[in-house]
Amino acid sequence: MTSLSDPILWAAFVAAAVGSYLVRVSFIVLFQRVDEVPRLAERALELVPAAVLAGLVLPSLVAPEGTVAVLTPKVAAGGVATVVAWRTESMAWTLAAGMGALWLLLAV
Amino acid sequence: MTSTARSAFVDGARAVLPALPANVPFGLVVGVAAANLGLDPVTALWSAALLFAGAAQLAMMELLARDAPVAVAVLTAIVVNLRYAMYSASIAPYLQSFSRRSRLVLSFFLLDVTYALSVAKFRAEGSVDRRAYYFGTALPLWVTWTVSVTAGASLGTGLPPAWHLEFAIPLLFLALLVPNVRDRGGVVAAAVGGVGATAGLDVPFDLGLVIAALAGVGLGLVADPDGADDEPPADRPDRTPDGTTEGEP
């Protein structure tokens, strides 16, 4: 429970939404007159999702509470989910396998 | 809407379908976090509809719940969303031909899933009605997202923590990550991004993630500047344009 008043909370969400929108719109408007993005820039952008998504995934698997711990049910379940993601490239199966593995490991 | 546009919209909606179930637990988690923060379902609804970015909203609400400065919480949400600038740059060439107003609207819906599905489709199939396809991926996602956040906020703190719904979030990111690791550069970028973000957890404002991601891209670029040229379309199981079905290579 936050001690903040509603108007401040609302202003915070609006500010975050506006800021996020500006990030999203930035290049779509800036690049409108560029015919072709240089090959190296294109390659760099190609690598962005792998780097950013891994940066979101790994800490929440090995350090969900902020401290690194490798031998945990979450790491094991993440491993199972990785294999399933690799084999199926399906979001639904990845989620089912990961959650299932976690519940199983926490139950035993 | 022309019939070409309608079929492109349906194609996009069909492509995004597998991503929708994963968004329900994600949205529920964000909604429950909103309830824990003391937000009513209506505030949860419009904030999710406007921000349309789960990781950012979750990070922001966690900070607000810890009584972090409001400016830091807002900044964190924007920083977590900085990756959209990269998507924005990457998808921009495909949207150049649209009116400014169209592009202003399209931009609002830019996020991991719409970006990944749309760019893969645009690369594989030059003739597709891009705007219709893009909205086909975006609208079901936006509706599912908004509804499930609201549902989570209405359920409030009623969901048992033993379900570990928060674990759905890394799983969702994982499912988006794996198809993006296609060559040596992708492996390096993912390894550096992942390890770097973990090592940089204590860096203020979540900047550890951004620094690690930039390092990952840089080192991936050094390790493998050209990448694999035989990019498979991301919607692999789908039909090729001539109607045949491609199996696993």
Side-chain angles (χ1 to χ4, degrees), chain B residues 129-203:
Chain B
D129 184 325
R130 291 179 192 152
R131 186 167 30 191
Y133 184 88
Y134 182 93
F135 279 126
T137 66
L139 289 181
L141 202 58
W142 185 72
V143 170
T144 308
W145 175 247
T146 309
V147 168
S148 50
V149 171
T150 310
S154 308
L155 289 169
T157 50
L159 288 174
W163 289 4
H164 287 280
L165 275 183
E166 79 287 346
F167 195 58
I169 295 167
L171 293 175
L172 183 87
F173 289 137
L174 190 65
L176 292 167
L177 164 67
V178 166
N180 274 295
V181 183
R182 292 187 300 219
D183 49 38
R184 199 153 42 91
V187 172
V188 172
V192 174
V195 174
T198 308
L201 275 175
D202 292 332
V203 176

Side-chain angles (χ1 to χ4, degrees), chain B residues 59-85:
Chain B
M60 183 179 172
M61 292 193 307
E62 276 170 9
L63 284 171
L64 289 175
R66 290 208 305 257
D67 279 328
V70 174
V72 171
V74 171
L75 188 67
T76 299
I78 295 169
V79 165
V80 170
N81 282 339
L82 273 184
R83 69 187 185 284
Y84 296 146

Side-chain angles (χ1 to χ4, degrees), chain B residues 60-147:
Chain B
M60 183 179 172
M61 292 193 307
E62 276 170 9
L63 284 171
L64 289 175
R66 290 208 305 257
D67 279 328
V70 174
V72 171
V74 171
L75 188 67
T76 299
I78 295 169
V79 165
V80 170
N81 282 339
L82 273 184
R83 69 187 185 284
Y84 296 146
M86 317 286 193
Y87 300 166
S88 182
S90 174
I91 204 170
Y94 296 102
L95 308 178
Q96 292 186 80
S97 60
F98 297 139
S99 70
R100 186 186 174 84
R101 199 175 58 132
S102 270
R103 279 178 289 129
L104 287 173
V105 176
L106 286 161
S107 299
F108 176 82
F109 295 97
L110 189 64
L111 78 173
D112 306 288
V113 179
T114 54
Y115 162 76
L117 291 174
S118 295
V119 165
K121 182 72 169 181
F122 300 164
R123 273 186 196 153
E125 212 178 304
S127 62
V128 69
D129 184 325
R130 291 179 192 152
R131 186 167 30 191
Y133 184 88
Y134 182 93
F135 279 126
T137 66
L139 289 181
L141 202 58
W142 185 72
V143 170
T144 308
W145 175 247
T146 309
V147 168

